[in-house]
Amino acid sequence: MANRFEIDGEEVLDGEVKRFGNSAHVTVPKRWRGADVKVVRTSEPTEQDEE
């Protein structure tokens, strides 16, 4: 059962977390630079760490 969160915000973006070196990242529009953001994971990861 998933948790439910309520966040007041300006805009929602659906995306995928992608590999980035030893980490991962989510790409957002340039116009979001300097804004405060929150990231919510909505599914289990499909890749396993290679450690």
Side-chain angles (χ1 to χ4, degrees), residues 1-3 8 12-13 15 17 19-21 23-25 27-30 34 36 38 40 42-45 47-48 50:
M1 185 170 170
N3 292 321
D8 291 330
V12 173
L13 175 71
V17 179
R19 180 182 216 152
F20 188 75
S23 187
H25 75 243
T27 303
V28 298
K30 280 185 181 181
D36 292 329
K38 298 187 184 320
V40 177
T42 58
S43 68
E44 290 294 325
E47 281 189 29
Q48 298 297 317
E50 298 174 2

Side-chain angles (χ1 to χ4, degrees), residues 4-35:
R4 182 174 174 84
F5 299 93
E6 185 173 322
I7 301 171
D8 291 330
E10 300 294 325
E11 194 172 358
V12 173
L13 175 71
D14 283 332
E16 181 182 348
V17 179
K18 300 197 178 168
R19 180 182 216 152
F20 188 75
N22 291 332
S23 187
H25 75 243
V26 177
T27 303
V28 298
K30 280 185 181 181
R31 59 188 162 77
W32 284 23
R33 283 187 295 191

